[in-house]
Amino acid sequence: METYKRVIGEATGWLLFLSLLMALALLVPRTVFDADSKDFLLLIGAVGIWRYSMGGLHFLRGMLFLYVVYPHYRRKVRKLGEAADPSHVYLMVTSFRIDALTTSMVYRSVIEEAIACGFPTTVVCSIVEMSDEVLIKQQWQKLNPPERVKLDFVRIPGTGKRDGLAHGFRAISRHLPDEHAVVAVIDGDTVLEPGVVRKTVPWFKLFPNVGGLTTNEFCEVQGSYVMSEWHKLRFAQRHINMCSMALSRRVLTMTGRMSVFRAAVVTDPDFISDVESDHLDHWRLGRFQFLTGDDKSSWYSLMRLGYDTFYVPDAAINTVEHPPEKSFIKASRKLMFRWYGNNLRQNSRALALGPQRLGWFTSVVLFDQRLSMWTCLLGLVAAIIASIKYSIAFLLIYLLWIGITRFVLTILLSLSGHHIGPAYPLILYYNQIVGALVKIYVFFRLDQQSWTRQNTKLDRGLASFQRWFNTWSSRAMTFSAASVFVAVLLTIV
């Protein structure tokens, strides 16, 4: 019955979207559909060509990896057989202020996977609260693992995830793992799919220079329909981008939800230091520690240390998402602020590694991250200016173009294997505009960071003048950049 209701609801949503699209098509001038007219809908400029070329290239690379290259690699892995088995597997879970039901689901899945994988395994629990330890021990007694599966608790102060990871890595170091051991780093709200360990660990044997790899994500959202669809869309886009970057073995993040590393990496003092006390020296904002973004720090550390990164699309995990606010607008804005801030804080120094280390495609992708915050707004701002200066028809044409292209993008996303819904075209455009605005805002305020679940912020303890200077210089630079952007478009239009 629930499935029937969902299918009817989605069919109604698609019909409503297509009806609105056709209504827009009736409102715009007929010359929009005339290929010989200067108003032809499919005429795009240099910026449009750049943006759609980058998106199309990511999509083609992603499909090539997913359906051609990865199956070829997987056949090679299977031929290795037991030769690809690790000597030991460490499943390290970090938990802090996560509800008991989710914690119980997570540790049950981790312990079950430790039992099922068949390798000597140690479950390392990096926890803060005594209640989590009690709950984990209850699950351990219920499942009664064999002798080859061990349990190790690491009690830490509640000073942040980075400290929790560092304490866990040092605890693993004390086990003295050999060069064939691997470590899976798992977030406290991540439920493992059966078989995920066996699907991930052999790749380190096939690719000797891969230092870390990450996995495919699906989610269960404790929130509204729109919030749920927004998260699912993000994971579908993530899947294609990860596949694209995996083609070059340059996956751009070691996702905190679940990534797997060589034990030699996570026991390296330089790597532990990068994750624990990563910081940035900014020409205007000074030096500041990174509060969030441990996944980007671990990726940058791997790149700096000379390792490759990889993605395993058929190794799946399920995350339990708890939106930080009831309002979709507020929750999505908070999450974007954290995610995009993490990206931008790593961007400039990652680019500084150069194409020789990163490869040309990866360097172009990182450079595009800096451009996209402006190019994503160009069409909307130009359409608004043209509608005010000439005719409202320009805004209608732009909306029709957005509707058609986002519909096509949504259909293409279905090839990722992730579910698509009728809200996706609208959410795609919401992400483009609101995401660009958030990126611009955070780009000039890289020192502002906060966790959404713990509601903690970075306190730098600055003197009053330095705080005043940082605040007003950030505002001045944001205003100046936005003014130049609009001025250029006014001149062009």
Side-chain angles (χ1 to χ4, degrees):
M1 190 65 181
E2 287 296 323
T3 304
Y4 176 76
K5 286 181 178 178
R6 181 174 60 82
V7 171
I8 292 297
E10 290 189 354
T12 304
W14 282 117
L15 286 172
L16 179 60
F17 175 78
L18 292 173
S19 299
L20 290 171
L21 209 56
M22 287 186 281
L24 266 178
L26 292 172
L27 289 173
V28 300
R30 291 185 180 181
T31 53
V32 167
F33 305 105
D34 182 0
D36 296 325
S37 170
K38 62 182 176 64
D39 299 327
F40 184 45
L41 183 66
L42 298 181
L43 289 176
I44 58 175
V47 174
I49 291 171
W50 169 265
R51 285 192 54 230
Y52 287 106
S53 294
M54 284 299 297
L57 190 57
H58 266 308
F59 179 78
L60 292 175
R61 284 171 55 94
M63 293 301 101
L64 176 64
F65 176 82
L66 187 60
Y67 294 111
V68 179
V69 175
Y70 181 74
H72 169 67
Y73 285 158
R74 188 168 51 196
R75 288 191 293 270
K76 293 176 73 173
V77 161
R78 285 172 180 167
K79 286 181 182 178
L80 291 174
E82 292 184 1
D85 290 353
S87 59
H88 202 98
V89 175
Y90 295 89
L91 301 177
M92 190 182 89
V93 189
T94 56
S95 299
F96 181 48
R97 291 186 182 173
I98 297 173
D99 65 275
L101 179 60
T102 301
T103 300
S104 179
M105 290 167 55
V106 168
Y107 278 98
R108 182 177 183 84
S109 73
V110 170
I111 297 168
E112 286 177 342
E113 191 59 22
I115 296 169
C117 73
F119 306 126
T121 306
T122 301
V123 179
V124 181
C125 310
S126 182
I127 58 173
V128 176
E129 292 147 335
M130 189 64 189
S131 57
D132 285 343
E133 183 173 341
V134 172
L135 193 152
I136 294 163
K137 286 180 176 178
Q138 288 175 349
Q139 290 289 351
W140 189 266
Q141 290 172 355
K142 285 180 184 177
L143 296 169
N144 191 25
E147 282 294 315
R148 61 175 174 79
V149 181
K150 308 296 182 183
L151 183 64
D152 187 8
F153 285 102
V154 182
R155 295 296 297 275
I156 61 169
T159 51
K161 186 180 176 183
R162 287 180 179 272
D163 286 343
L165 290 171
H167 279 75
F169 293 158
R170 291 190 181 101
I172 292 170
S173 299
R174 290 192 287 272
H175 287 261
L176 302 177
D178 63 29
E179 60 178 343
H180 301 296
V182 297
V183 179
V185 180
I186 303 161
D187 214 349
D189 56 4
T190 300
V191 179
L192 305 186
E193 283 286 297
V196 69
V197 169
R198 279 202 164 269
K199 288 177 180 177
T200 53
V201 295
W203 297 99
F204 294 102
K205 187 70 173 182
L206 183 66
F207 299 128
N209 201 49
V210 166
L213 55 84
T214 193
T215 51
N216 196 0
E217 290 187 35
F218 297 86
C219 64
E220 176 188 330
V221 182
Q222 307 294 321
S224 66
Y225 168 77
V226 177
M227 196 75 221
S228 176
E229 293 295 281
W230 184 72
H231 275 282
K232 290 173 183 175
L233 168 62
R234 173 176 168 262
F235 286 135
Q237 290 178 301
R238 170 191 179 275
H239 182 54
I240 290 176
N241 286 335
M242 287 284 192
C243 287
S244 170
M245 299 311 300
L247 198 60
S248 308
R249 293 180 212 162
R250 287 293 182 273
V251 173
L252 293 179
T253 180
M254 289 291 97
T255 310
R257 298 306 178 83
M258 180 181 173
S259 291
V260 188
F261 301 86
R262 293 183 184 275
V265 170
V266 302
T267 57
D268 185 330
D270 286 342
F271 181 83
I272 296 174
S273 177
D274 284 344
V275 173
E276 183 179 30
S277 55
D278 203 1
H279 63 273
L280 186 66
D281 290 305
H282 193 272
W283 67 274
R284 177 173 56 86
L285 301 171
R287 171 174 288 199
F288 54 88
Q289 297 289 120
F290 290 174
L291 178 65
T292 62
D294 54 273
D295 52 349
K296 300 294 186 299
S297 296
S298 57
W299 170 80
Y300 175 75
S301 186
L302 287 171
M303 290 294 102
R304 188 177 62 80
L305 295 171
Y307 290 101
D308 295 337
T309 53
F310 195 63
Y311 178 62
V312 186
D314 59 357
I317 59 171
N318 285 286
T319 63
V320 183
E321 303 288 343
H322 299 88
E325 300 281 351
K326 290 184 178 179
S327 164
F328 167 70
I329 302 293
K330 289 181 180 179
S332 60
R333 185 173 44 102
K334 274 190 174 182
L335 291 169
M336 284 180 182
F337 182 84
R338 177 161 63 87
W339 296 335
Y340 296 151
N342 295 338
N343 275 333
L344 292 170
R345 276 184 284 275
Q346 295 290 354
N347 185 278
S348 59
R349 64 181 189 170
L351 273 171
L353 293 174
Q356 189 173 5
R357 173 68 193 102
L358 297 175
W360 281 103
F361 182 74
T362 305
S363 297
V364 170
V365 170
L366 290 170
F367 178 70
D368 183 60
Q369 288 179 354
R370 302 173 78 87
L371 286 182
S372 63
M373 68 182 83
W374 300 106
T375 57
C376 286
L377 293 174
L378 190 144
L380 175 62
V381 176
I384 292 172
I385 293 171
S387 65
I388 294 171
K389 193 172 182 180
Y390 300 111
S391 168
I392 193 67
F394 284 98
L395 186 58
L396 296 176
I397 293 168
Y398 172 74
L399 292 175
L400 178 61
W401 169 258
I402 290 299
I404 293 172
T405 53
R406 273 52 190 175
F407 175 69
V408 172
L409 290 174
T410 299
I411 299 303
L412 291 176
L413 280 174
S414 66
L415 296 176
S416 70
H418 284 245
H419 169 79
I420 63 168
Y424 278 27
L426 296 176
I427 298 174
L428 275 168
Y429 188 61
Y430 171 84
N431 282 349
Q432 175 185 326
I433 301 303
V434 177
L437 293 172
V438 172
K439 281 181 185 177
I440 292 170
Y441 181 85
V442 75
F443 181 74
F444 297 106
R445 298 163 178 81
L446 293 176
D447 59 328
Q448 294 185 18
Q449 306 163 63
S450 63
W451 279 108
T452 47
R453 182 185 296 124
Q454 291 88 1
N455 197 28
T456 55
K457 295 183 178 182
L458 179 67
D459 182 9
R460 299 173 62 191
L462 297 175
S464 58
F465 173 78
Q466 187 65 50
R467 286 199 304 271
W468 176 88
F469 174 79
N470 287 0
T471 299
W472 283 99
S473 63
S474 295
R475 291 175 181 174
M477 294 194 73
T478 308
F479 178 78
S480 300
S483 298
V484 170
F485 177 72
V486 174
V488 169
L489 283 185
L490 279 168
T491 304
I492 294 172
V493 173

